[in-house]
Amino acid sequence: MSKLLADMKYLGRDPKKEFLFFGLSVLAFLGIGVAMYWYIGLNFLLLFPALGFVVYAFVFLTRYDALKRKKLEALCDEFITLFTFFGIYITDGFTVYNALEKLLDFAGEELNGLLKKLLHDIDEDKSVAPFVAFASIFEQISIREVMVAVYQMIDEGEGGLYLAQFKRLFARLADTKRSISKSTRLERLDTLSFLPLCGSGLTMLTLTLSILSIMEEMLDVL
């Protein structure tokens, strides 16, 4: 539950409103079930609102994690794009601090705020801590390695060995991200391939239940 609340807050959602909406949805499914029972009595058709509620509850409880993961993936993609520019600035002779400032012109709202906080923390703390704190926002450990390499360029010089180390680590991060994105797309395509089978199965189930209902009515008549 604590993780669910944390995910809601990260996504900017109000937990009270989200759970209120969920509660109203539960009442709606319950109302549908009661109405069906009132009009048709105890019938297998009551399984449909029950099944619908189970599916809805599962989607409600898992979608926040999926949305958070999607947002973090987008943030990682933006990080890779921005720090490609960072590498160019450093190669052109900019200091690490000035190169980070330049990235503010291209960053989106969230990453812009994170970069401003990083620059502010660098002014207050000359250790590696601000860089590690910035990297902790992301799920990828490789980003932490890249940011530590950025710090080393400040602490021990922007050129030569440490610039090469940054470029090597950053290239590995970009390659890994591309590989993961490709695998994710293939997994989604595999998942989509099952949808026609699921649709066919649902159609057959509905048809079977309808036939059973008709047979039950005929037996009642006889």
Short mmCIF file of all heavy atoms in Angstrom, two decimals, residues 18-58:
data_model
loop_
_atom_site.label_atom_id
_atom_site.label_comp_id
_atom_site.label_asym_id
_atom_site.label_seq_id
_atom_site.Cartn_x
_atom_site.Cartn_y
_atom_site.Cartn_z
N GLU A 18 -8.19 9.59 -5.80
CA GLU A 18 -8.07 8.33 -6.53
C GLU A 18 -8.87 7.23 -5.83
O GLU A 18 -9.59 6.47 -6.48
CB GLU A 18 -6.61 7.93 -6.64
CG GLU A 18 -5.76 8.87 -7.49
CD GLU A 18 -6.17 8.88 -8.94
OE1 GLU A 18 -6.33 7.79 -9.53
OE2 GLU A 18 -6.34 9.99 -9.50
N PHE A 19 -8.75 7.13 -4.51
CA PHE A 19 -9.46 6.09 -3.78
C PHE A 19 -10.96 6.39 -3.71
O PHE A 19 -11.78 5.47 -3.65
CB PHE A 19 -8.88 5.92 -2.38
CG PHE A 19 -7.60 5.13 -2.36
CD1 PHE A 19 -6.40 5.74 -2.01
CD2 PHE A 19 -7.59 3.79 -2.72
CE1 PHE A 19 -5.21 5.01 -2.00
CE2 PHE A 19 -6.42 3.06 -2.71
CZ PHE A 19 -5.23 3.66 -2.35
N LEU A 20 -11.33 7.67 -3.71
CA LEU A 20 -12.74 8.03 -3.77
C LEU A 20 -13.35 7.56 -5.09
O LEU A 20 -14.44 6.98 -5.11
CB LEU A 20 -12.91 9.54 -3.62
CG LEU A 20 -14.35 10.07 -3.75
CD1 LEU A 20 -15.25 9.47 -2.67
CD2 LEU A 20 -14.36 11.59 -3.68
N PHE A 21 -12.61 7.78 -6.19
CA PHE A 21 -13.08 7.33 -7.50
C PHE A 21 -13.19 5.81 -7.52
O PHE A 21 -14.15 5.24 -8.07
CB PHE A 21 -12.11 7.81 -8.58
CG PHE A 21 -12.50 7.41 -9.96
CD1 PHE A 21 -13.50 8.09 -10.66
CD2 PHE A 21 -11.89 6.33 -10.59
CE1 PHE A 21 -13.87 7.71 -11.93
CE2 PHE A 21 -12.25 5.94 -11.86
CZ PHE A 21 -13.25 6.63 -12.54
N PHE A 22 -12.21 5.13 -6.91
CA PHE A 22 -12.24 3.66 -6.86
C PHE A 22 -13.46 3.19 -6.07
O PHE A 22 -14.15 2.24 -6.46
CB PHE A 22 -10.95 3.14 -6.22
CG PHE A 22 -10.92 1.64 -6.09
CD1 PHE A 22 -10.73 0.84 -7.20
CD2 PHE A 22 -11.08 1.04 -4.85
CE1 PHE A 22 -10.69 -0.54 -7.09
CE2 PHE A 22 -11.05 -0.34 -4.73
CZ PHE A 22 -10.85 -1.13 -5.85
N GLY A 23 -13.73 3.86 -4.94
CA GLY A 23 -14.88 3.49 -4.13
C GLY A 23 -16.19 3.67 -4.87
O GLY A 23 -17.09 2.81 -4.81
N LEU A 24 -16.31 4.76 -5.63
CA LEU A 24 -17.52 5.00 -6.42
C LEU A 24 -17.67 3.95 -7.51
O LEU A 24 -18.78 3.51 -7.83
CB LEU A 24 -17.47 6.40 -7.04
CG LEU A 24 -17.57 7.57 -6.05
CD1 LEU A 24 -17.36 8.90 -6.78
CD2 LEU A 24 -18.91 7.56 -5.33
N SER A 25 -16.53 3.53 -8.08
CA SER A 25 -16.56 2.48 -9.11
C SER A 25 -17.03 1.16 -8.52
O SER A 25 -17.79 0.42 -9.16
CB SER A 25 -15.18 2.32 -9.74
OG SER A 25 -14.75 3.54 -10.31
N VAL A 26 -16.57 0.85 -7.30
CA VAL A 26 -17.00 -0.36 -6.62
C VAL A 26 -18.52 -0.34 -6.42
O VAL A 26 -19.22 -1.33 -6.66
CB VAL A 26 -16.28 -0.52 -5.27
CG1 VAL A 26 -16.89 -1.67 -4.47
CG2 VAL A 26 -14.80 -0.77 -5.49
N LEU A 27 -19.03 0.81 -5.98
CA LEU A 27 -20.47 0.96 -5.79
C LEU A 27 -21.23 0.79 -7.11
O LEU A 27 -22.33 0.22 -7.14
CB LEU A 27 -20.78 2.32 -5.17
CG LEU A 27 -20.33 2.52 -3.71
CD1 LEU A 27 -20.62 3.95 -3.26
CD2 LEU A 27 -21.01 1.52 -2.79
N ALA A 28 -20.62 1.29 -8.21
CA ALA A 28 -21.26 1.16 -9.52
C ALA A 28 -21.37 -0.31 -9.93
O ALA A 28 -22.43 -0.76 -10.39
CB ALA A 28 -20.47 1.95 -10.56
N PHE A 29 -20.28 -1.06 -9.76
CA PHE A 29 -20.32 -2.49 -10.08
C PHE A 29 -21.32 -3.22 -9.18
O PHE A 29 -22.06 -4.10 -9.64
CB PHE A 29 -18.93 -3.11 -9.93
CG PHE A 29 -18.03 -2.89 -11.09
CD1 PHE A 29 -16.97 -1.99 -11.01
CD2 PHE A 29 -18.24 -3.56 -12.29
CE1 PHE A 29 -16.13 -1.78 -12.09
CE2 PHE A 29 -17.40 -3.36 -13.38
CZ PHE A 29 -16.34 -2.47 -13.27
N LEU A 30 -21.34 -2.85 -7.90
CA LEU A 30 -22.27 -3.48 -6.97
C LEU A 30 -23.71 -3.16 -7.37
O LEU A 30 -24.60 -4.02 -7.33
CB LEU A 30 -21.99 -2.98 -5.55
CG LEU A 30 -22.86 -3.57 -4.43
CD1 LEU A 30 -22.66 -5.08 -4.36
CD2 LEU A 30 -22.52 -2.92 -3.10
N GLY A 31 -23.95 -1.89 -7.77
CA GLY A 31 -25.28 -1.49 -8.21
C GLY A 31 -25.73 -2.27 -9.44
O GLY A 31 -26.90 -2.69 -9.53
N ILE A 32 -24.81 -2.47 -10.38
CA ILE A 32 -25.14 -3.25 -11.58
C ILE A 32 -25.51 -4.67 -11.20
O ILE A 32 -26.47 -5.26 -11.72
CB ILE A 32 -23.95 -3.23 -12.57
CG1 ILE A 32 -23.75 -1.82 -13.14
CG2 ILE A 32 -24.19 -4.23 -13.71
CD1 ILE A 32 -22.49 -1.69 -13.96
N GLY A 33 -24.72 -5.27 -10.28
CA GLY A 33 -25.00 -6.64 -9.84
C GLY A 33 -26.36 -6.75 -9.15
O GLY A 33 -27.12 -7.69 -9.41
N VAL A 34 -26.67 -5.78 -8.27
CA VAL A 34 -27.95 -5.79 -7.57
C VAL A 34 -29.10 -5.62 -8.55
O VAL A 34 -30.14 -6.31 -8.45
CB VAL A 34 -27.98 -4.69 -6.49
CG1 VAL A 34 -29.39 -4.53 -5.92
CG2 VAL A 34 -26.99 -5.00 -5.38
N ALA A 35 -28.94 -4.72 -9.53
CA ALA A 35 -29.99 -4.48 -10.52
C ALA A 35 -30.23 -5.74 -11.36
O ALA A 35 -31.39 -6.11 -11.63
CB ALA A 35 -29.60 -3.32 -11.42
N MET A 36 -29.14 -6.40 -11.75
CA MET A 36 -29.29 -7.63 -12.54
C MET A 36 -29.98 -8.71 -11.72
O MET A 36 -30.83 -9.45 -12.23
CB MET A 36 -27.92 -8.10 -13.03
CG MET A 36 -27.30 -7.20 -14.09
SD MET A 36 -25.67 -7.78 -14.64
CE MET A 36 -26.10 -9.34 -15.42
N TYR A 37 -29.62 -8.82 -10.43
CA TYR A 37 -30.25 -9.83 -9.57
C TYR A 37 -31.74 -9.53 -9.40
O TYR A 37 -32.58 -10.44 -9.36
CB TYR A 37 -29.55 -9.84 -8.21
CG TYR A 37 -30.16 -10.79 -7.22
CD1 TYR A 37 -29.93 -12.17 -7.32
CD2 TYR A 37 -30.98 -10.33 -6.20
CE1 TYR A 37 -30.51 -13.05 -6.42
CE2 TYR A 37 -31.57 -11.20 -5.30
CZ TYR A 37 -31.33 -12.56 -5.40
OH TYR A 37 -31.90 -13.43 -4.52
N TRP A 38 -32.07 -8.25 -9.31
CA TRP A 38 -33.47 -7.85 -9.13
C TRP A 38 -34.32 -8.23 -10.34
O TRP A 38 -35.47 -8.67 -10.20
CB TRP A 38 -33.51 -6.35 -8.89
CG TRP A 38 -34.91 -5.80 -8.71
CD1 TRP A 38 -35.73 -5.27 -9.66
CD2 TRP A 38 -35.65 -5.76 -7.49
NE1 TRP A 38 -36.92 -4.88 -9.12
CE2 TRP A 38 -36.91 -5.18 -7.79
CE3 TRP A 38 -35.38 -6.16 -6.17
CZ2 TRP A 38 -37.88 -5.00 -6.82
CZ3 TRP A 38 -36.36 -5.96 -5.21
CH2 TRP A 38 -37.58 -5.39 -5.53
N TYR A 39 -33.75 -8.06 -11.55
CA TYR A 39 -34.53 -8.28 -12.77
C TYR A 39 -34.48 -9.72 -13.28
O TYR A 39 -35.45 -10.22 -13.83
CB TYR A 39 -34.05 -7.34 -13.88
CG TYR A 39 -34.52 -5.92 -13.69
CD1 TYR A 39 -33.65 -4.93 -13.25
CD2 TYR A 39 -35.85 -5.56 -13.93
CE1 TYR A 39 -34.09 -3.62 -13.05
CE2 TYR A 39 -36.29 -4.26 -13.74
CZ TYR A 39 -35.40 -3.29 -13.30
OH TYR A 39 -35.84 -2.00 -13.11
N ILE A 40 -33.32 -10.40 -13.10
CA ILE A 40 -33.20 -11.75 -13.68
C ILE A 40 -33.01 -12.83 -12.62
O ILE A 40 -32.97 -14.01 -12.95
CB ILE A 40 -32.03 -11.81 -14.68
CG1 ILE A 40 -30.69 -11.60 -13.97
CG2 ILE A 40 -32.21 -10.82 -15.81
CD1 ILE A 40 -29.48 -11.74 -14.90
N GLY A 41 -32.87 -12.43 -11.36
CA GLY A 41 -32.70 -13.40 -10.29
C GLY A 41 -31.28 -13.95 -10.27
O GLY A 41 -30.36 -13.42 -10.89
N LEU A 42 -31.12 -15.04 -9.54
CA LEU A 42 -29.80 -15.68 -9.42
C LEU A 42 -29.48 -16.37 -10.73
O LEU A 42 -30.08 -17.39 -11.08
CB LEU A 42 -29.79 -16.68 -8.26
CG LEU A 42 -28.44 -17.25 -7.87
CD1 LEU A 42 -27.50 -16.14 -7.42
CD2 LEU A 42 -28.59 -18.29 -6.77
N ASN A 43 -28.53 -15.81 -11.47
CA ASN A 43 -28.24 -16.27 -12.82
C ASN A 43 -26.75 -16.19 -13.07
O ASN A 43 -26.04 -15.37 -12.46
CB ASN A 43 -29.02 -15.40 -13.83
CG ASN A 43 -29.03 -16.00 -15.22
OD1 ASN A 43 -28.01 -16.03 -15.88
ND2 ASN A 43 -30.21 -16.46 -15.65
N PHE A 44 -26.27 -17.03 -13.99
CA PHE A 44 -24.83 -17.01 -14.32
C PHE A 44 -24.39 -15.68 -14.90
O PHE A 44 -23.20 -15.34 -14.88
CB PHE A 44 -24.49 -18.14 -15.30
CG PHE A 44 -25.11 -18.00 -16.65
CD1 PHE A 44 -24.48 -17.27 -17.65
CD2 PHE A 44 -26.34 -18.58 -16.93
CE1 PHE A 44 -25.05 -17.12 -18.90
CE2 PHE A 44 -26.91 -18.45 -18.18
CZ PHE A 44 -26.27 -17.72 -19.17
N LEU A 45 -25.34 -14.89 -15.42
CA LEU A 45 -25.00 -13.58 -15.99
C LEU A 45 -24.44 -12.63 -14.92
O LEU A 45 -23.78 -11.64 -15.24
CB LEU A 45 -26.22 -12.95 -16.66
CG LEU A 45 -26.72 -13.65 -17.93
CD1 LEU A 45 -27.99 -12.99 -18.43
CD2 LEU A 45 -25.64 -13.62 -19.02
N LEU A 46 -24.71 -12.95 -13.65
CA LEU A 46 -24.16 -12.13 -12.57
C LEU A 46 -22.63 -12.24 -12.50
O LEU A 46 -21.98 -11.43 -11.85
CB LEU A 46 -24.75 -12.57 -11.23
CG LEU A 46 -26.24 -12.29 -11.03
CD1 LEU A 46 -26.73 -12.90 -9.72
CD2 LEU A 46 -26.51 -10.79 -11.02
N LEU A 47 -22.08 -13.25 -13.18
CA LEU A 47 -20.63 -13.38 -13.22
C LEU A 47 -19.98 -12.23 -13.96
O LEU A 47 -18.83 -11.87 -13.68
CB LEU A 47 -20.23 -14.71 -13.89
CG LEU A 47 -20.55 -15.99 -13.11
CD1 LEU A 47 -20.26 -17.21 -13.97
CD2 LEU A 47 -19.73 -16.03 -11.83
N PHE A 48 -20.69 -11.63 -14.92
CA PHE A 48 -20.09 -10.58 -15.74
C PHE A 48 -19.74 -9.33 -14.93
O PHE A 48 -18.61 -8.84 -15.03
CB PHE A 48 -20.99 -10.23 -16.92
CG PHE A 48 -20.96 -11.26 -18.01
CD1 PHE A 48 -21.95 -12.22 -18.11
CD2 PHE A 48 -19.91 -11.29 -18.92
CE1 PHE A 48 -21.91 -13.18 -19.11
CE2 PHE A 48 -19.87 -12.24 -19.92
CZ PHE A 48 -20.87 -13.20 -20.02
N PRO A 49 -20.66 -8.77 -14.10
CA PRO A 49 -20.23 -7.62 -13.29
C PRO A 49 -19.16 -7.99 -12.27
O PRO A 49 -18.28 -7.19 -11.97
CB PRO A 49 -21.52 -7.16 -12.60
CG PRO A 49 -22.46 -8.31 -12.69
CD PRO A 49 -22.11 -9.01 -13.96
N ALA A 50 -19.21 -9.24 -11.74
CA ALA A 50 -18.18 -9.68 -10.79
C ALA A 50 -16.83 -9.77 -11.48
O ALA A 50 -15.80 -9.30 -10.96
CB ALA A 50 -18.56 -11.02 -10.19
N LEU A 51 -16.81 -10.35 -12.69
CA LEU A 51 -15.57 -10.44 -13.45
C LEU A 51 -15.07 -9.06 -13.85
O LEU A 51 -13.86 -8.78 -13.79
CB LEU A 51 -15.79 -11.31 -14.70
CG LEU A 51 -14.58 -11.53 -15.60
CD1 LEU A 51 -13.48 -12.26 -14.84
CD2 LEU A 51 -14.98 -12.32 -16.85
N GLY A 52 -16.01 -8.19 -14.22
CA GLY A 52 -15.64 -6.83 -14.58
C GLY A 52 -15.00 -6.10 -13.41
O GLY A 52 -14.02 -5.36 -13.59
N PHE A 53 -15.51 -6.30 -12.20
CA PHE A 53 -14.94 -5.66 -11.02
C PHE A 53 -13.53 -6.17 -10.75
O PHE A 53 -12.63 -5.39 -10.42
CB PHE A 53 -15.82 -5.91 -9.79
CG PHE A 53 -15.15 -5.53 -8.51
CD1 PHE A 53 -14.96 -4.19 -8.18
CD2 PHE A 53 -14.66 -6.51 -7.64
CE1 PHE A 53 -14.32 -3.83 -7.00
CE2 PHE A 53 -14.03 -6.15 -6.46
CZ PHE A 53 -13.85 -4.82 -6.15
N VAL A 54 -13.32 -7.49 -10.87
CA VAL A 54 -11.99 -8.06 -10.63
C VAL A 54 -10.97 -7.48 -11.61
O VAL A 54 -9.86 -7.09 -11.22
CB VAL A 54 -12.03 -9.60 -10.76
CG1 VAL A 54 -10.62 -10.19 -10.73
CG2 VAL A 54 -12.87 -10.20 -9.63
N VAL A 55 -11.35 -7.40 -12.88
CA VAL A 55 -10.45 -6.84 -13.90
C VAL A 55 -10.17 -5.36 -13.60
O VAL A 55 -9.02 -4.90 -13.67
CB VAL A 55 -11.05 -7.00 -15.31
CG1 VAL A 55 -10.20 -6.26 -16.34
CG2 VAL A 55 -11.14 -8.47 -15.67
N TYR A 56 -11.23 -4.62 -13.26
CA TYR A 56 -11.06 -3.19 -12.97
C TYR A 56 -10.16 -2.98 -11.76
O TYR A 56 -9.27 -2.10 -11.78
CB TYR A 56 -12.42 -2.55 -12.71
CG TYR A 56 -12.33 -1.13 -12.22
CD1 TYR A 56 -12.04 -0.08 -13.09
CD2 TYR A 56 -12.49 -0.83 -10.86
CE1 TYR A 56 -11.92 1.23 -12.64
CE2 TYR A 56 -12.38 0.47 -10.40
CZ TYR A 56 -12.09 1.49 -11.29
OH TYR A 56 -11.96 2.77 -10.83
N ALA A 57 -10.35 -3.74 -10.70
CA ALA A 57 -9.53 -3.60 -9.49
C ALA A 57 -8.06 -3.91 -9.80
O ALA A 57 -7.16 -3.21 -9.32
CB ALA A 57 -10.05 -4.53 -8.39
N PHE A 58 -7.84 -4.95 -10.61
CA PHE A 58 -6.46 -5.30 -10.97
C PHE A 58 -5.80 -4.17 -11.75
O PHE A 58 -4.65 -3.78 -11.47
CB PHE A 58 -6.45 -6.59 -11.80
CG PHE A 58 -5.09 -6.96 -12.32
CD1 PHE A 58 -4.15 -7.56 -11.50
CD2 PHE A 58 -4.75 -6.70 -13.66
CE1 PHE A 58 -2.89 -7.89 -11.98
CE2 PHE A 58 -3.50 -7.03 -14.14
CZ PHE A 58 -2.57 -7.62 -13.30
#
